[in-house]
Amino acid sequence: MANLRLTGVSKIYPSGKMALYNVSFSSSEGEFIAITGGASCGKSTLLRIIAGLEECSAGDIFIGDKKVNDVDPKDRDVAMIFQSNTLYPTLTLFDNIAFGLKMRNVPAAVIEQRVKTVAEILGLTDVLYRKPKTVTAAQRQLATYGRAIAREPKLYLLDEPINGLDPNLRTYMKNVLVNLQVRMKGTFLYATKNIADAMSMASRIVVLKDGFVQQIDTPSNLYDYPANAYVGFFVGNPTMNLLQNVAVVREEDGVYAVFDDLKLKLSDKTVSRWSNIDEYIGTDKKVILGIRPEDITPDGEGSQIEGVVCGTDDIDGVKLAELDISKNHSLTVFMEGGVKGDKHGALINTERLYVFDGETQLTLLSRDEGYVKDAKNSEADFKPLTKAETEDKIIQYTPVAEKPAKKKH
């Protein structure tokens, strides 16, 4: 039985502005699901709706076999951990962790047993009777987790709980949360804009953009089989190179992607996965070609393309370079010692190309034997709206005061 099930959940504010549109997915008991996307994608709103802190405008929410749309937050059997969760400074860690239980009139003996069990799990036993200001930042953070898990809810909703922590503490808390989820056997919904956190922590990920679901799948499937160009670009660090306005032509020795004055031969594997390729070959229909930086070898033997370094970057000790390969296109590549103005070849692994429709931005490649379908993922075959359909919905739900004025002729 699904521990959480959402069917057609939307959120339209009284102003007419849309925050979420037709969100549907379910979780199995004991899953760790990440909700991710860019700024204002709707992830925090979704968690607040599940918790009962906001009402949905349409759709249904089930926890276990119970519909909870009209159930008060305190009766939904969920715990929510916010980024801004704080402890009561005048209470000991014991009393902070026990606070929610006391508010629910749980017997004192049960409170004692639960708090001490939680403290043991979190490594807080030695500081349990100290006040927050006398313990470390990590211990304070752990105590906020303890306050939630002491209730033993069916669902744990975590809204960016490690955002703002220093890097070392972030890494430590990530490990704590993953281990905690396994230990508690609870269902965790973890909202984060950090795709690296989502990929490393969750068993499945819900990708949102502007309130619309883009794809729901395992981290590896999102990476290898993105449903559209947005997912392809968002899932990965550094981000996928997207070459726009690419034509497709057939020559004697195969099929080529053509952009500006360059062309790249498509692999037989790519062509075989592209079922309607004849609609694009030699026509006005253009595609977006996706190439991940890790699939490009600078100066590799047999390089198909040459470019000039136009910039370099260093991300967490990883050296990157930007190669200008034509008037309108550039490629981000992994490169040590890149010098602006230098020429370099680019060997592209054409077995690993991604192809999206230039208008709809949906993937044009079918899944192959590398796709592993998760038995828990009933949403694996979900197809997102096209770019135009999404834009129409956004316009439909944009308040009149925010709509751009019509141009006078």
Side-chain angles (χ1 to χ4, degrees), residues 66-86:
K66 183 179 180 180
K67 182 179 174 181
V68 297
N69 289 50
D70 299 320
V71 175
D72 288 339
K74 64 182 179 64
D75 298 321
R76 291 197 182 193
D77 200 15
V78 303
M80 192 159 186
I81 302 173
F82 298 93
Q83 174 189 346
S84 58
N85 269 24
T86 55

Side-chain angles (χ1 to χ4, degrees), residues 17-295:
K17 189 174 183 64
M18 178 185 65
L20 291 168
Y21 179 78
N22 196 30
V23 177
S24 298
F25 70 91
S26 61
S27 72
S28 299
E29 192 166 350
E31 269 199 283
F32 196 126
I33 296 178
I35 315 292
T36 189
S40 302
C41 70
K43 55 186 179 295
S44 294
T45 301
L46 181 59
L47 290 196
R48 291 177 63 83
I49 286 173
I50 295 170
L53 302 178
E54 291 190 36
E55 294 182 355
C56 59
S57 307
D60 294 317
I61 306 157
F62 296 85
I63 297 177
D65 58 356
K66 183 179 180 180
K67 182 179 174 181
V68 297
N69 289 50
D70 299 320
V71 175
D72 288 339
K74 64 182 179 64
D75 298 321
R76 291 197 182 193
D77 200 15
V78 303
M80 192 159 186
I81 302 173
F82 298 93
Q83 174 189 346
S84 58
N85 269 24
T86 55
L87 301 174
Y88 297 105
T90 59
L91 301 180
T92 64
L93 297 192
F94 181 102
D95 289 328
N96 267 285
I97 294 171
F99 189 84
L101 299 174
K102 291 179 179 179
M103 291 297 99
R104 288 168 173 77
N105 297 314
V106 174
V110 175
I111 292 176
E112 180 89 7
Q113 182 268 327
R114 285 199 193 175
V115 173
K116 288 186 174 180
T117 299
V118 166
E120 183 180 352
I121 291 171
L122 296 174
L124 294 175
T125 300
D126 291 343
V127 295
L128 194 52
Y129 296 98
R130 291 167 59 178
K131 292 184 178 179
K133 69 179 180 180
T134 68
V135 301
T136 67
Q139 289 167 334
R140 289 193 294 272
Q141 189 79 10
L142 290 170
T144 66
Y145 300 165
R147 187 165 53 192
I149 67 177
R151 290 175 44 206
E152 299 180 357
K154 289 181 179 177
L155 280 175
Y156 298 84
L157 308 178
L158 302 96
D159 191 6
E160 305 254 28
I162 62 173
N163 197 35
L165 302 180
D166 69 68
N168 290 335
L169 187 52
R170 272 179 61 86
T171 300
Y172 175 70
M173 287 302 167
K174 280 169 60 175
N175 292 330
V176 167
L177 287 171
V178 171
N179 292 329
L180 189 60
Q181 190 266 337
V182 173
R183 180 88 177 255
M184 301 303 295
K185 297 182 173 59
T187 300
F188 278 37
L189 262 67
Y190 184 95
T192 177
K193 59 179 174 287
N194 188 314
I195 186 59
D197 287 352
M199 296 285 280
S200 64
M201 297 172 73
S203 55
R204 280 197 298 149
I205 299 174
V206 180
V207 181
L208 294 174
K209 180 177 185 288
D210 298 328
F212 295 83
V213 174
Q214 306 297 306
Q215 192 169 353
I216 303 172
D217 218 323
T218 63
S220 59
N221 285 339
L222 290 177
Y223 182 87
D224 290 325
Y225 302 92
N228 58 23
Y230 177 78
V231 176
F233 182 80
F234 186 76
V235 176
N237 185 27
T239 56
M240 178 186 289
N241 296 292
L242 295 176
L243 307 183
Q244 307 280 346
N245 200 35
V246 176
V248 185
V249 301
R250 188 188 298 278
E251 297 186 1
E252 287 185 4
D253 61 338
V255 178
Y256 286 81
V258 179
F259 42 99
D260 292 340
D261 56 348
L262 300 175
K263 63 180 184 179
L264 181 66
K265 186 177 180 181
L266 303 182
S267 70
D268 292 341
K269 180 179 179 180
T270 300
V271 172
S272 68
R273 292 177 57 198
W274 190 345
S275 59
N276 63 338
I277 192 171
D278 288 338
E279 295 179 19
Y280 294 82
I281 293 176
T283 72
D284 291 334
K285 296 184 73 169
K286 299 295 194 296
V287 302
I288 301 168
L289 199 64
I291 309 171
R292 294 199 182 276
E294 47 268 46
D295 295 323

Side-chain angles (χ1 to χ4, degrees), residues 379-401:
E379 297 84 15
D381 297 323
F382 171 81
K383 185 176 180 180
L385 297 179
T386 67
K387 180 183 178 184
E389 290 169 339
T390 301
E391 290 173 346
D392 287 345
K393 289 293 181 185
I394 291 174
I395 292 172
Q396 178 183 346
Y397 290 105
T398 299
V400 174

